[in-house]
Amino acid sequence: MSALTKLALGMMGRLRPSPAKGDSAHSIALPPPAKEGGKPLYEVLAKRCSSRAFAQTALPLSLLSDLLWAADGINRADGGRTAPSAIDAQEIDVFVALPTGAYHYVAAIHELQLVAASDLRKLTGYQDFVDEAPLDLVYVADYARMRMVPVAMRESYASVAAGAIAQNVYLFAASNGLATVLRAWIDRSAIADALGLNHDQQVLLSQTVGYPRNAT
Ligand SMILES: Cc1cc2nc3c(=O)[nH]c(=O)nc-3n(C[C@H](O)[C@H](O)[C@H](O)COP(=O)(O)O)c2cc1C
């Protein structure tokens, strides 16, 4: 769907999810993440870039598992995460829009839990590639976890935390030959409606991930 069509539908409040493609499993147990290997940091930094041409090929579950752990998984016995957050509020929830449905990544048990049994990918951004790429991540701040942070600082702190997660994804993509792009040009209210978010939750950013087009 073109950006113009999405903008028009969005303005009328009629940008809606598509039916799920395939089995919308209630939960998806992710295999244990690799946590080692990958390309050297400097090589990955040299390769990091935004790409907007994606193949439709799905990521294998093991790669999706590694991706989500790298993004914001638990990397320490005390529950610490791969991305920082102010006063360790861990206020960012990562949602994954797949053809089979939209899932919440529950880092504590490294599992995906279904939140919407429909294909939300086209809602996650105005650019047309988001519709067909195998997955779009959505970063949502939950301000209910930031009661200790002054109200005026909450959105900026949460945006920084989401940015750190996004950079983890960029580096993971560079290490694994994947394409990715972080996106702020998104219809936040359409996404919030489709995910069933509450008033404490705010959609901040989205990020598409997939194999580069012409490389698979
Ligand atoms: C906060 C933020 C929002 C962005 N929003 C979009 C977007 O909506 N669509 C898009 O195609 N790229 C988006 N980008 C990606 C930038 O366009 C990209 O990072 C920039 O052109 C530099 O290219 P590089 O990432 O390859 O270095 C965004 C980047 C950031 C940091």
Side-chain angles (χ1 to χ4, degrees), residues 15 34 42 61 67-68 84 91 113-114 116 121 130 145 150 170 177 183 187 190 192 200-201:
L15 188 55
Y42 279 76
L61 196 58
L67 164 69
L68 291 169
E91 71 275 20
Q113 293 182 349
L114 186 70
R121 290 176 298 166
V130 311
R145 291 178 215 150
Y170 267 110
R183 296 178 290 96
D187 185 335
D200 283 320
Q201 293 175 293

Side-chain angles (χ1 to χ4, degrees), residues 79-99:
R81 311 285 279 267
T82 58
S85 67
I87 63 160
D88 200 19
Q90 302 187 1
E91 71 275 20
I92 303 300
D93 283 313
V94 178
F95 291 86
V96 188
L98 296 168

Side-chain angles (χ1 to χ4, degrees), residues 49-186:
C49 65
S50 298
S51 307
R52 298 172 184 81
F54 298 87
Q56 294 185 22
T57 317
L59 269 54
L61 196 58
S62 59
L63 194 58
L64 179 60
S65 167
D66 294 353
L67 164 69
L68 291 169
W69 180 79
D72 198 28
I74 290 178
N75 67 355
R76 278 158 284 170
D78 66 359
R81 311 285 279 267
T82 58
S85 67
I87 63 160
D88 200 19
Q90 302 187 1
E91 71 275 20
I92 303 300
D93 283 313
V94 178
F95 291 86
V96 188
L98 296 168
T100 52
Y103 289 83
H104 175 216
Y105 171 56
V106 184
I109 52 174
H110 196 58
E111 184 175 288
L112 288 175
Q113 293 182 349
L114 186 70
V115 293
S118 46
D119 181 356
L120 266 59
R121 290 176 298 166
K122 76 167 188 276
L123 264 60
T124 69
Y126 291 110
Q127 291 156 291
D128 53 5
F129 60 80
V130 311
D131 304 17
E132 301 291 343
L135 71 95
D136 295 291
L137 303 172
V138 178
Y139 304 132
V140 174
D142 187 347
Y143 296 121
R145 291 178 215 150
M146 299 184 86
R147 304 267 189 241
M148 301 294 285
V149 175
V151 172
M153 303 309 297
R154 287 179 190 167
E155 185 169 348
S156 61
Y157 286 8
S159 298
V160 168
I165 294 169
Q167 180 72 350
N168 285 349
V169 171
Y170 267 110
L171 297 180
F172 179 88
S175 182
N176 287 277
L178 298 174
T180 190
V181 61
L182 179 64
R183 296 178 290 96
W185 191 33
I186 58 181

